[in-house]
Amino acid sequence: VVAADEREAGVRATLNLGHTFGHAVETNLGYGEWLHGEAVSVGMCMAADMSRRLEAPFEEACASLDGRLDICVLDMLQGWITPELEKRTIDLLKRAQLPTTLPEGLGKEDFMATMAVDKKVANGVLRLILLTGELGGCVFTSEFDKEMLDETLEEYCAKE
């Protein structure tokens, strides 16, 4: 997979889903407190949460209506993924007995400081792997509403 997608433009992005958030968990807890997979599991939940919060571009939402007026445009603009897909992602991780919430003591500021120096930052811009569309659909991007990142961090860090 890595050789087939060296720039993380396609399938390789799927392998890195949750890693930027997960690396922040590992760094702030101290390496060895949690297994890498445990930190990435919570990171995947956070990426799913943020993906649900992000609005789909208006043109994309309208094109997907395909002339059907019975679909509410506002429903189409709710997120890059549906709430159902976010729930499915979290449920799959729970079924694997992996953590889906942060441990106590991690604050939003801790995350922001750590994510600002992650290896996926390029030219001072944070890039994340986020979900889009169906389960397994990912995109590696810096094109996201930073307020939604703040909302996700507030949601997860507030669960302390």
Side-chain angles (χ1 to χ4, degrees):
V1 171
V2 174
D5 186 11
E6 292 179 20
R7 298 182 186 264
E8 292 186 283
V11 70
R12 185 172 171 194
T14 306
L15 296 177
N16 287 311
L17 178 67
H19 275 74
T20 302
F21 292 107
H23 291 156
V25 172
E26 288 177 310
T27 299
N28 287 295
L29 284 180
Y31 287 97
E33 288 298 313
W34 271 25
L35 296 173
H36 177 70
E38 292 172 328
V40 170
S41 174
V42 175
M44 291 171 70
C45 295
M46 294 174 80
D49 177 273
M50 185 174 163
S51 299
R52 177 193 40 83
R53 293 173 189 274
L54 291 165
E55 291 184 354
F58 183 74
E59 296 81 14
E60 179 183 315
C62 289
S64 67
L65 288 174
D66 197 29
R68 295 174 288 154
L69 298 177
D70 59 327
I71 299 175
C72 176
V73 173
L74 293 177
D75 287 343
M76 298 300 294
L77 294 175
Q78 285 183 343
W80 288 10
I81 64 169
T82 64
E84 294 78 19
L85 185 53
E86 177 190 16
K87 181 182 182 317
R88 183 174 177 202
T89 301
I90 293 168
D91 288 347
L92 285 168
L93 294 166
K94 283 180 179 178
R95 216 174 354 170
Q97 298 181 353
L98 290 166
T100 57
T101 58
L102 291 174
E104 290 184 21
L106 292 183
K108 178 181 167 186
E109 293 75 24
D110 299 326
F111 265 89
M112 294 303 288
T114 305
M115 291 171 75
V117 295
D118 188 83
K119 67 182 181 179
K120 290 188 175 42
V121 171
N123 299 319
V125 178
L126 177 63
R127 299 176 300 161
L128 295 171
I129 314 285
L130 298 170
L131 292 169
T132 181
E134 299 298 319
L135 187 63
C138 293
V139 62
F140 184 37
T141 185
S142 61
E143 301 293 322
F144 54 83
D145 185 342
K146 307 310 183 246
E147 288 181 29
M148 298 304 103
L149 173 59
D150 285 343
E151 286 184 18
T152 293
L153 293 176
E154 287 171 11
E155 172 73 20
Y156 273 77
C157 293
K159 292 181 178 178
E160 302 179 35

